[in-house]
Amino acid sequence: MKKFLWAVTLSALALTIGGCGEESSGASSGDGGNFPEKSIEIIVPAAAGGGTDATARALANEAEDVFGQSIGVLNKTGGSGSVGMSEGANAKADGYKVTMVFVELTMFKHLGLSPLTYDQFKPIGMINFDPAALTVAADAPYDTLEEFIAYAKDHPGEVSVGNSGTGSIWHIAAASLEKAADIKLNHVPHEGAAPAVTALVGGHIDAVTVSPAEVKTQLEAGNVKTLAVMADTRSDIIPDVPTFGEAGLEVNPTGTWRGLTVPKDTPDDVVAKLEEGFMKAAEDEDFAEFMKTNGLGIELKDSGEFEEYMKQNEEDFGEIIGDLGLN
């Protein structure tokens, strides 16, 4: 009996050691092992129905076929996105909880809204970029960016530009225009881009610097006109509208972007699997068609490019926010 028990003990020990060796080998295999073996969840730090939510759900739909697993979307709002992003940063670092982050992540610490920064995540990739677009009423007395700037110089502090809240990306965009053109604007905050556009159509403000997607409906209805987009290339949504550079004013590309991340301690091989799968989904024709139909731009950056992009954004916004006196 003693010999039997000793043999069982040795067998169990051998299995335990063997199992540990296999697990260790899988963790360092460089290909994520068999990941994913269960469903993945994407945290969206924004309300359902908006551009971030729409992008995440459309991407998740395509990625399910790539990964062979279901992908759920969890909306977690609050704190200009910091609530959902904080949950994502502190999630278990196993790759099964992904967070869709957006541009405000690189602005939080400068605005004093949250200590959260981009380096608390590992990037998977950037999916989307929507530039700021200077849009005015259809009957405004200026038809070009040059004419708008000339008018603003003749009427310092009188031209009112609506944004989606003090310190928001669209406020930063208008401030960048103000600085580059050496003009003085009257910044008017609203509870989101949609109310700002409504105020523009209603004649309560003179302009907005929100994305093409957010003015698309009013533009098609002939209620507004867009003078220029704050990007290196023209928007696919409004291809007839020049960039700021083409219109004669050099301004750093400014707008909202969206990308996928995981907690910073997530194994590199798992991140590589996620990057491969989600970027493949983002290149799918159905995803491209969805984004185009909804006025959302696609701009893909791999994990390394995305990390550098976020780093540069954080540096740039620190300077701009400091100039605005918002920190």
Side-chain angles (χ1 to χ4, degrees):
M1 177 63 73
K2 288 183 179 179
K3 289 183 180 180
F4 173 75
L5 291 174
W6 180 243
V8 171
T9 301
L10 287 176
S11 298
L13 182 61
L15 287 171
T16 301
I17 293 171
C20 288
E22 288 172 10
E23 183 177 345
S24 174
S25 174
S28 59
S29 63
D31 63 359
N34 295 320
F35 181 89
E37 296 181 299
K38 60 181 182 179
S39 62
I40 297 170
E41 183 175 70
I42 300 177
I43 295 176
V44 173
T52 303
D53 179 70
T55 299
R57 291 180 186 277
L59 186 65
N61 185 59
E62 299 302 329
E64 285 184 339
D65 292 336
V66 178
F67 288 116
Q69 296 287 351
S70 63
I71 301 178
V73 173
L74 173 66
N75 296 92
K76 203 80 174 180
T77 61
S80 298
S82 63
V83 172
M85 291 188 215
S86 293
E87 180 172 320
N90 293 304
K92 186 176 180 180
D94 58 4
Y96 289 101
K97 185 159 284 191
V98 174
T99 304
M100 176 159 277
V101 299
F102 38 79
V103 64
E104 278 78 6
L105 174 61
T106 60
M107 299 161 62
F108 287 146
K109 75 172 185 179
H110 301 304
L111 293 167
L113 295 175
S114 169
L116 195 66
T117 62
Y118 74 92
D119 55 11
Q120 290 173 249
F121 297 91
K122 267 187 183 174
I124 294 172
M126 187 169 117
I127 305 300
N128 152 265
F129 176 78
D130 289 318
L134 177 62
T135 301
V136 300
D139 59 355
Y142 23 75
D143 295 313
T144 65
L145 176 62
E146 183 180 13
E147 292 174 356
F148 176 87
I149 292 171
Y151 185 92
K153 285 186 175 181
D154 290 339
H155 302 81
E158 294 180 21
V159 178
S160 55
V161 182
N163 59 57
S164 52
T166 300
S168 68
I169 186 59
W170 305 135
H171 183 192
I172 300 300
S176 298
L177 162 60
E178 188 176 41
K179 182 178 179 181
D182 191 24
I183 56 178
K184 179 64 177 175
L185 300 171
N186 175 23
H187 301 280
V188 182
H190 293 79
E191 293 295 324
V197 174
T198 299
L200 173 63
V201 174
H204 305 294
I205 56 176
D206 300 308
V208 293
T209 47
V210 301
S211 72
E214 288 160 326
V215 296
K216 184 172 181 283
T217 301
Q218 297 296 343
L219 194 62
E220 291 172 345
N223 295 325
V224 300
K225 54 188 176 185
T226 299
L227 307 184
V229 293
M230 206 172 282
D232 288 330
T233 58
R234 295 191 179 196
S235 168
D236 291 337
I237 302 163
I238 43 175
D240 295 333
V241 176
T243 66
F244 269 66
E246 290 174 329
L249 184 68
E250 292 302 322
V251 181
N252 286 334
T254 303
T256 190
W257 49 255
R258 302 171 177 101
L260 298 175
T261 61
V262 284
K264 65 179 180 180
D265 293 330
T266 306
D268 289 340
D269 51 1
V270 170
V271 177
K273 273 287 189 75
L274 288 167
E275 179 178 357
E276 180 184 5
F278 277 115
M279 297 308 272
K280 183 176 181 180
E283 292 169 351
D284 187 271
E285 290 182 4
D286 289 340
F287 179 71
E289 183 60 31
F290 173 87
M291 295 292 277
K292 182 179 180 180
T293 300
N294 287 275
L296 296 162
I298 294 178
E299 184 166 335
L300 304 182
K301 293 184 186 297
D302 63 29
S303 57
E305 294 169 333
F306 188 27
E307 184 169 28
E308 285 301 312
Y309 186 71
M310 287 191 286
K311 179 181 179 181
Q312 188 62 55
N313 266 226
E314 191 163 276
E315 292 174 3
D316 292 343
F317 287 132
E319 182 178 341
I320 294 169
I321 290 168
D323 289 344
L324 283 171
L326 295 175
N327 51 359

